Amino acid sequence: MATFLYRLGRLAFRRRHFVALMWVALLTLAGVGAVNAPAAGSTSFSIPGTEAQKAFDLLEQRFPGASADGATGRMVFKAPEGEKMTDAANKATVAKTVRELGDGSEVVSVTDPFTTHAVSKDGTVAYLSVKYDAPAVGLKDATRKALETAGDDARAAGLTVEVGGDALQAQPDAGGVGEAVGLAIAAVVLVITLGSMIAAGLPLLTAIIGVAIGVSTISVLAKALDLGTTTSTLAAMIGLAVGIDYALFIVSRYRAELAEGRDREEAVGRATGTAGSAVVFAGLTVVIALAGLSVVNVPMLTKMGVAAAGTVVIAVLIALTMIPALLGYAGRKVRPAGEKGRKSAERPASSVKPNLGTRWASFVIRRPAAVLLLGVLGLGAVALPVSQLQLGLPDDGSQPTSTTQRRAYDLLSEGFGPGFNGPLMIVVDAKNSDDPKAAADSVSDGIKGLKDVVTVTPATFNKAGDTATITVVPGSKPSSTQTEGLVHAIRDDVASKSDADVLVTGTTALNIDFSQKLSDALIPYLALVVGLAFLLLIVVFRSILVPLKAALGFLLSVLAALGAVVAVFQWGWLGGLLGVEETGPIMSMMPIFMVGVVFGLAMDYEVFLVTRMREAYVHGESPSQAVVTGFKHSARVVVAAAVIMMAVFGGFISSGESMIKMIGFGLAVAVFFDAFVVRMAIVPAVLALLGRRAWWLPKWLDRALPNVDVEGEGLRTQDEKDTDPDEDRELVRV
C-alpha cells in the first residue's frame, strides 16, 4: 500500500498539469450537469415492511385516484372576538375561499367545514382541507402561491387565518452564514497549523472542489434517484469536514518530510505513502459506516448514507492525487515543519523545546489510571440524559411559533383538542369477509371502547365495497405515549378480533413505526459496521486490543454526544443560545445516523494518531516512547483537524431545518468528545497501561493477515534516489 501510494504521489507531483486538468474537467462536467438538472426537493418518505406503509400501499390499490401520498393543506379560520364562524359574513368568506381553492389544477378536493362538521363546539374555529394529486415535493410554485393567496384574502375579510399541512413545506436553509463562518474558522486553524496562507489554502481548495463535484453529481441524479436537498446538505457537511482533514494530514506529513532534509518530490511521495495510507483506511471506515446505513432498509436514510459516502471517496481520491499536484505548483512557498528557513534546521536538538503534544503524552503516561478514570467518568456523566431519550419525527407542532404552520397547529389544538393534529387512519381490508360493512362496524365499535379516543368517523368504502377507511382522533397529542399506546391497542386488541385485515396508518402511526424500525435495526447495524471496521483496523494495526479499545472509545463518545443532544433539543438547555425555538422528541433517525457518521470520523482520528505510534513501535521504540512519538508528530494535526470538523459541523447549526441543525450540533460535540477526550486522553492512558500487550497479535493470525504496510516500512529500505524513468509504466502495471 505505502509503496504504491508513494509512486502515485510522485507521479501526481511530476504530472501535476495533467492531474489538475483532470479534476477541473470533472468539476466542470459535474457543474454543467447540475445547472441543467431539475431542482431537487425534499426526499419522499417511505418505510418498507411497516404496517403504516402497507396501509398506504393498499389505499393506492383500492382507492385509485385518491392520491394517498398526495400533499395536503389545512386552512384554519378563527372568528374575531365576539363573533362565531357560523355568522353569515364569516360563512360567506369561507365559502369564497373553498371556491377559490377548488379551481387549482393540482387540487383533488376541498372540504367545506360547514358540511363536514369541521367547526369547533364553541363555534370560534373552523378548518378546511385541500387534497392535491402530487406529493409535497412535486407541487408547482403556482399551487403553493394560490394557497397562500386564498389565506391572505380571508384575512383581509377580518378572519384570523393560518395554514398547516405539508403543502407549504419550505425548502430548507442549509446553513448559510453559519457555514461560511465555519469555513473561516477552518481557514484560520489551517494557517496556524501549516504556517502559511499557501499551505493553508490547499486543503480548503481541494475540499471545496471535492464537495462541489459530489454535490453537483447528487443534483444531476436527484430526479432519477429521488435525492432531496437534505441529502446534498449532509453530503456537503461530511465531505467538507473529511476533505479538509485528509488534505491536512498529507500536507502536514509533507512538511515533516521536508524538515528531515528530503527534496520536494521525495517528500511528496513519502507523505502520500505514509499519511496517504492512513487516509485510505480512515476513508474506508467512514464509507463502511455511511454505506452500512442501507441495512436499515429506509430509502431516505440509505440515500443520505450512500451520497455522503460518495463525497468521502472523492475526498480521498483528491487528497491522494490533487494535493501532491498542488504541492508541486506551490514549490518553496510550503515550508518545512517547525522552520522559518533552512538555517533553523541546523539548531542542536538540545535547544529544541518539546512541543505540547510531547508534554501532554508524557503527563498521561505518568498518570494513566487517573486520566482514564476522569475521562470515562466525565463522558459517562454527559451521557446520562440518554436514559430520557424520546424519539419521534418533527411535525408542525415542532415548528417555531413565528410560522403559520405552528399557529395553525395551535389553533386546531385549541378548537378541537390536542389529538386532532395527529388523527389515525384505520384501513379495513374486508375483501375476504362475508359482510364487509359488518366487519367495518365491528372495528369502529371496538375502537370506541378504547381509552383516549375522542372521535371515530363512520366507515368510508371504496367503489368495490371491499375496503373501508375510518378516521380516529385521539385525546392526546401525536407525540405522546398515550397516542402510541392507542395505536398498539388498535393493532393488538381490535385487529385480532376482526375477521378482516385491520391496518393503522397516518402520520402518527408512520412515525411510531419508523422509530420502532430504527430501534430494531440499531444492534444489527452496529454489529455490521463495527465488525467490518474492527477487522479492517486489525489489518492496519496488527493488534487485537487496539481496535477493541478504539470501538469502546467510540461508544463512549457517541453516547455522550447523544446525551448532549437530548439536553439541548429535548430539555432545552442552552436552546436559546443555539437557536432552538421548540423542544421536543429527538428525531428517530438521529441515534443510528450519529452512530454511523461518528464511528467513521472517530476511526479517522484513531488511524491518524495510532498509526504514527505503531510506526514508532515497529521501528524499535518502547511502547511508552512510541506513544510520546505519536503525539509529538500527530497531536497538533489531530487537534487542528478536530477543530476544523467542529467548525464545519457547527456552521450547520444555523440551518433553518431542525434535522440539519440537530445533526450539525450532534456531530460537532461528538467530534469534540472523541478527539479531545477519547483520542487525546483515554487512548494514551489505555496504551500506557497495556504496554506491549497493546500490540499483541496471535502468530497464526499475523501470518494470515495481509501486510498492507501502512507504516511505510517498505519505504525505509528504499534508496532515496530520483525515480526511474520507467516508473510511470510500472505504476500503471501495479
Side-chain angles (χ1 to χ4, degrees), residues 130-338:
V130 188
K131 185 68 175 177
Y132 298 94
D133 60 9
V137 296
L139 285 182
K140 298 176 183 176
D141 290 339
T143 300
R144 301 180 198 272
K145 184 64 177 176
L147 184 60
E148 294 173 346
T149 301
D152 291 340
D153 292 343
R155 287 189 192 96
L159 297 177
T160 298
V161 183
E162 305 296 346
V163 182
D166 59 0
L168 286 186
Q169 192 175 60
Q171 298 300 321
D173 173 20
V177 175
E179 187 178 349
V181 171
L183 284 175
I185 295 173
V188 172
V189 174
L190 286 170
V191 170
I192 295 173
T193 305
L194 299 178
S196 73
M197 294 290 291
I198 297 296
L202 299 184
L204 281 176
L205 175 63
T206 54
I208 291 172
I209 290 174
V211 167
I213 292 173
V215 172
S216 297
T217 303
I218 291 171
S219 299
V220 172
L221 300 174
K223 185 72 173 179
L225 301 181
D226 189 25
L227 304 176
T229 52
T230 299
T231 302
S232 59
T233 300
L234 292 174
M237 181 192 302
I238 295 170
L240 266 178
V242 301
I244 294 174
D245 279 6
Y246 293 167
L248 168 62
F249 279 101
I250 291 180
V251 173
S252 178
R253 186 61 183 257
Y254 168 74
R255 296 177 68 236
E257 297 293 337
L258 288 178
E260 293 183 9
R262 294 188 173 90
D263 65 66
R264 296 189 178 275
E265 183 176 335
E266 180 68 15
V268 163
R270 288 181 176 268
T272 310
T274 52
S277 296
V279 165
V280 169
F281 282 98
L284 275 175
T285 59
V286 179
V287 169
I288 288 172
L290 291 171
L293 290 170
S294 59
V295 304
V296 182
N297 194 27
V298 174
M300 182 179 70
L301 204 56
T302 298
K303 293 167 188 174
M304 289 164 58
V306 172
T311 61
V312 173
V313 171
I314 294 172
V316 171
L317 294 176
I318 284 184
L320 296 177
T321 56
M322 195 171 186
I323 282 294
L326 293 179
L327 287 172
Y329 285 118
R332 296 183 179 276
K333 293 178 181 178
V334 177
R335 297 192 298 266

Side-chain angles (χ1 to χ4, degrees), residues 461-484:
F461 281 87
N462 62 345
K463 289 183 179 180
D466 59 6
T467 306
T469 60
I470 302 169
T471 300
V472 178
V473 177
S476 303
K477 63 181 182 179
S479 59
S480 66
T481 56
Q482 292 92 333
T483 301
E484 182 176 351

Side-chain angles (χ1 to χ4, degrees), residues 424 444 446-457 471-476 486 490:
L424 307 176
S444 295
I447 295 174
K448 289 176 182 177
L450 298 175
K451 295 180 179 179
D452 204 43
V453 173
V454 174
T455 305
V456 179
T457 65
T471 300
V472 178
V473 177
S476 303
L486 176 59
I490 295 173

